[in-house]
Amino acid sequence: MRVLVSGGAGYIGSHTVIRLVEAGHDVVVVDDFSNAKPTVVGRLEALTGTSVPVHSFDLTDVDKTEHLFANETIDAVIHFAGFKAVGESVAKPLDYYQNNLDSTFSLLRAMRRHDVRTLVFSSSATVYGAEPRLPMTEDLPTSATNPYGWTKVMIEQVLTDVAASDDRLRIAALRYFNPVGAHVSGDIGEDPSGIPNNLMPFVAQVAVGRREKLSVFGDDYDTPDGTGVRDYIHVDDLAAGHVAALDRISAGTTPMSIWNLGTGQGVSVLEVIKAFERASGRPIPYEIAPRRAGDIAASYADPSRANSELGWYATKTIDDMCADTWRWQSKNPNGYPDA
Amino acid sequence: MRVLVSGGAGYIGSHTVIRLVEAGHDVVVVDDFSNAKPTVVGRLEALTGTSVPVHSFDLTDVDKTEHLFANETIDAVIHFAGFKAVGESVAKPLDYYQNNLDSTFSLLRAMRRHDVRTLVFSSSATVYGAEPRLPMTEDLPTSATNPYGWTKVMIEQVLTDVAASDDRLRIAALRYFNPVGAHVSGDIGEDPSGIPNNLMPFVAQVAVGRREKLSVFGDDYDTPDGTGVRDYIHVDDLAAGHVAALDRISAGTTPMSIWNLGTGQGVSVLEVIKAFERASGRPIPYEIAPRRAGDIAASYADPSRANSELGWYATKTIDDMCADTWRWQSKNPNGYPDA
C-alpha cells in the first residue's frame, strides 16, 4: 500500500515510516515541521534506503490537503499530526482543539472525496481519564483531564460516528501507553523542544549533561516504591503495532476498531532511573518534588485485545528502551541538527 | 449592550432577538439561512419597531467572521447557529462535527481578536445522555447518544477549557429542555423544513391539516401513561432566560456558568395531544408506533440553579404553549413565506 503518514517527521511517526518501508509499503509524509526538524528526513532516507516524499504544510489548510490527495496516490492514512503538550493545552485550549480537530476533519474530507477508506489514528491512554480501573481495557469509559486529552477523546468519537455512517470505512484508533526508546541505530529518536514534559527524555538529557538533575513528582503514591507507575513501550514496538493494525483493518470488514498498545507491565519512576543508570553507566541525580496536578498513581494496559486480534506483542524490555534511548541521546546530545 | 445573535433568524434565535430588543439591547444578526427563511427578518422588525442588521453568511468562514467583528460594534455574543437534526447527524456526522465545532472556533477567535468577552451558548439537555438521573441537575456527567448531542457536549468542554484559560471571559452554556410555542402575536414561530422531528410542530401540522395523523413512539415506557415524558418550555420563557443569563454573566466575575432552562415539570405525549386539542378545538388523530432508538422514557430539569442565580422562572403552562403554537400555525399554515 501507499500510506500517507501525517506527522511522519515526528517521534512516533518517523519510527513508523521505517517499519512501513521494512514491511514493503510505500510512504508519503505530510508534516508542517512545527514540532519536528527537517533533518530527520535525510536520516529516514539513509536508514530505509528509499526516497521519502515529504509535503510540508499544515493539514488544517483544506486546499493544500485537497491538492495533496489530488496529486498523490494514497491507499491509506496513518494520522499522527497534532499538538501534544499537556501543559500548553491548558494555557491555549482553543489552539489545541482547533488544530487537532480541524486537521482531522480536513483529512477525513479529503479521504472521502478521493475514496480513501483506511485510517489509523494516533490516540492515547490519556482517554481513560483521571481514575481508570487497572489494567485498562478498551471498553472503559473515556474522559480526560486536560484539553490535549479531550482532543483525543473527541476525535475518537468523531471517528466512531463517521465509521458508523459508512460501513466501507476501515478505521482504527490506537491507544498508546508511554512511548520511549529510539531506533536501534541511534539515528532517529525523540527530540522534544524546550524542557521535556516526559520522564525518559528528561532522564536522557540529565545523563548526557544537558540538565543538572531530575525532579521526581511524588514519592507517596499508592505504588510499590511510592513513585508513579507507567506502561513504557518501546517506540519500535509501537511502530510495529501501527503496521499490524493497518494490515488487519485493510484485510477485515470492521469499520471501527480500538486497540491498546502497551506492554501490560507497570514500571516505576525509580525503576526507570535505575535502568537508565545501568544502560548509560552514568548516575542520574534526582530529587523528590511534589506531585503534579493531574498525574495519576498508576497506568498500565491490558494489551490482550491487540495481542489476540493483531498478533502483535510488545517485545522490548525497559533495559532495551533505556539502551536505545541512550544510544540516540549520546550520538545526538542536542537532538537533530538544524540544517 | 450590542449583542451579536448567531442563528438569529432561527426558531429560538428569533424569539430571543425580540426579548433582547424589549430589554433595551441593540441586536446584530448573523445567519446563513440554511435552516431559516429571510422573511422572518421583516416580521422581527415589524414586531420590535426597530431595524435589525442581518449578515448573511456561514460562520465557519473565518474571513467573513473576522470582517463582521472588524466592522460592527459587538459587546456580547449569543451563539445559536448550528445544525440540529438528530437523525441527519447520524447519517452525516462529519458535517455536523465540522459545522458546529468550526463555527464555534471561528466565533471564539474573532471574539479574542476583538476583545469581546461575553458569550451565551445554546446547549441542550441532550448532554445528560442516555440514562440521566431525574430531575436533571447541572452537575450530572455529560454524554450523548448521537453526533448532534456530542457536538453540544464537545462545545461545552471547549468553552469550559477556554474560560479556565482566561479569567476575563464570561461564558454561559444554557441547557434547554424541549422548546415549544411561538410569539404571542402568532407572527414568529417554529418552521421546520421537511417532516418535523419534534412532537409539537408535528401535532400543529396535523391540527392544521398538513399531515394526516401523529405517530406516538412507544406507549410502554415506565411513565404514568406509558408515553414519553418531556419538560416542554415556552420559547418565550427560554428567550427571557437568555437575556437573564446575559445580564448575569456581564455583571459577574465567573468565567464559566452552566444553567438548565426548563420548567421542572414533565408532560407526556398524550397530555400534549389533549392540550393541543383543547387549544385548537380540533381532534389530533394518532396511532401508537414502536419506540424510536435513542429515545429515553422521561426527561425533566431541576431548574433551581437558574431560578436562584438568574431570578428566572418559566412562567407559561402547556396550555399557553399549545395556544401560542396554534395561533402561529393557523396564521401560517405553511410556515414563513418564501419571499
Side-chain angles (χ1 to χ4, degrees), chain A residues 90-91 93-95 97-98 101-102 105 108-109 112 147 150 154 157-158 161-162 165, chain B residues 90-91 93-95 97-98 101-102 105 108-109 112 147 150 154 157-158 161-162 165:
Chain A
V90 173
L94 184 55
D95 293 353
Y97 285 116
Q98 189 160 22
L101 286 161
D102 280 354
F105 295 156
L108 288 170
R109 286 215 174 267
R112 186 162 71 189
W150 280 117
M154 292 178 187
Q157 185 65 46
V158 170
D161 289 331
V162 167
S165 74
Chain B
V90 173
L94 184 55
D95 293 354
Y97 285 116
Q98 189 160 23
L101 286 161
D102 280 353
F105 295 155
L108 288 170
R109 286 216 173 264
R112 185 162 71 188
W150 280 117
M154 291 179 188
Q157 186 64 47
V158 170
D161 289 331
V162 167
S165 75

Side-chain angles (χ1 to χ4, degrees), chain A residues 262-282:
Chain A
T263 66
Q265 304 298 318
V267 174
S268 77
V269 175
L270 296 183
E271 288 172 328
V272 169
I273 292 172
K274 281 180 213 137
F276 209 93
E277 289 180 332
R278 284 195 298 274
S280 65
R282 300 196 179 185

Side-chain angles (χ1 to χ4, degrees), chain A:
Chain A
M1 285 191 287
R2 198 147 196 270
V3 183
L4 176 68
V5 181
S6 84
Y11 174 44
I12 305 171
S14 58
H15 289 82
T16 302
V17 166
I18 295 172
R19 278 281 189 167
L20 284 166
V21 172
E22 288 174 357
H25 296 295
D26 287 332
V27 173
V28 181
V29 165
V30 56
D31 203 303
D32 71 354
F33 294 96
S34 63
N35 195 26
K37 293 271 180 67
T39 44
V40 73
V41 178
R43 295 191 179 191
L44 282 176
E45 295 188 329
L47 284 170
T48 60
T50 64
S51 157
V52 177
V54 175
H55 298 264
S56 179
F57 67 88
D58 178 344
L59 282 170
T60 66
D61 187 320
V62 172
D63 294 334
K64 287 181 180 167
T65 305
E66 167 60 24
H67 187 262
L68 169 64
F69 276 75
N71 289 281
E72 288 275 11
T73 300
I74 297 170
D75 301 309
V77 178
I78 304 183
H79 179 34
F80 292 103
F83 292 166
K84 63 177 188 178
V86 168
E88 189 179 56
S89 82
V90 173
K92 300 178 174 179
L94 184 55
D95 293 353
Y96 269 66
Y97 285 116
Q98 189 160 22
N99 182 74
N100 290 5
L101 286 161
D102 280 354
S103 55
T104 305
F105 295 156
S106 176
L107 264 180
L108 288 170
R109 286 215 174 267
M111 288 175 63
R112 186 162 71 189
R113 273 192 303 265
H114 296 277
D115 210 22
V116 179
R117 298 171 183 173
T118 306
L119 172 68
V120 175
F121 172 63
S122 171
S123 189
S124 167
T126 194
V127 303
Y128 294 118
E131 294 175 338
R133 198 187 62 208
L134 294 174
M136 297 161 172
T137 50
E138 289 88 349
D139 57 352
L140 289 178
T142 59
S143 69
T145 61
N146 56 71
Y148 159 74
W150 280 117
T151 69
K152 297 297 185 190
V153 172
M154 292 178 187
I155 292 169
E156 282 199 4
Q157 185 65 46
V158 170
L159 295 177
T160 299
D161 289 331
V162 167
S165 74
D166 182 352
D167 63 12
R168 300 169 308 166
L169 294 175
R170 302 290 178 262
I171 300 178
L174 303 183
R175 295 178 176 165
Y176 313 156
F177 281 70
N178 289 66
V180 297
H183 189 259
V184 68
S185 65
D187 291 335
I188 301 279
E190 185 171 13
D191 182 18
S193 55
I195 301 170
N197 287 304
N198 297 325
L199 175 64
M200 187 69 83
F202 204 109
V203 168
Q205 291 189 7
V206 171
V208 85
R210 278 173 67 181
R211 303 194 183 272
E212 187 190 352
K213 64 183 170 185
L214 172 73
S215 294
V216 174
F217 299 108
D219 67 347
D220 56 352
Y221 285 109
D222 183 18
T223 57
D225 66 20
T227 64
V229 164
R230 297 291 181 273
D231 184 341
Y232 296 96
I233 176 170
H234 196 294
V235 66
D236 187 55
D237 280 335
L238 195 58
H242 286 74
V243 178
L246 183 63
D247 291 347
R248 178 75 180 79
I249 62 175
S250 304
T253 58
T254 307
M256 183 75 201
S257 306
I258 296 178
W259 288 293
N260 283 339
L261 295 183
T263 66
Q265 304 298 318
V267 174
S268 77
V269 175
L270 296 183
E271 288 172 328
V272 169
I273 292 172
K274 281 180 213 137
F276 209 93
E277 289 180 332
R278 284 195 298 274
S280 65
R282 300 196 179 185
I284 309 293
Y286 67 87
E287 63 181 3
I288 305 299
R291 294 183 183 190
R292 285 192 303 195
D295 278 355
I296 61 180
S299 162
Y300 49 92
D302 178 343
S304 56
R305 188 192 283 184
N307 298 160
S308 64
E309 296 184 0
L310 301 180
W312 168 91
Y313 296 82
T315 61
K316 303 204 178 181
T317 66
I318 189 70
D319 287 315
D320 298 329
M321 301 177 208
C322 291
D324 290 337
T325 300
W326 177 238
R327 192 173 304 108
W328 152 255
Q329 190 71 59
S330 50
K331 282 180 79 168
N332 303 274
N334 294 305
Y336 291 109
D338 277 330

Side-chain angles (χ1 to χ4, degrees), chain B residues 119-137:
Chain B
L119 172 67
V120 176
F121 171 64
S122 172
S123 189
S124 167
T126 195
V127 303
Y128 293 118
E131 293 175 336
R133 198 186 62 209
L134 295 175
M136 297 162 171
T137 52

Side-chain angles (χ1 to χ4, degrees), chain B residues 16 34-35 45 54 93 110-112 117 134 147-148 156 158 161 178 186 200 207 210 217 247 276 285 303 325 335:
Chain B
T16 302
S34 62
N35 195 26
E45 294 189 328
V54 175
M111 288 176 63
R112 185 162 71 188
R117 297 171 184 174
L134 295 175
Y148 160 74
E156 282 199 4
V158 170
D161 289 331
N178 290 66
M200 187 69 82
R210 278 174 67 181
F217 298 109
D247 291 348
F276 209 93
T325 300

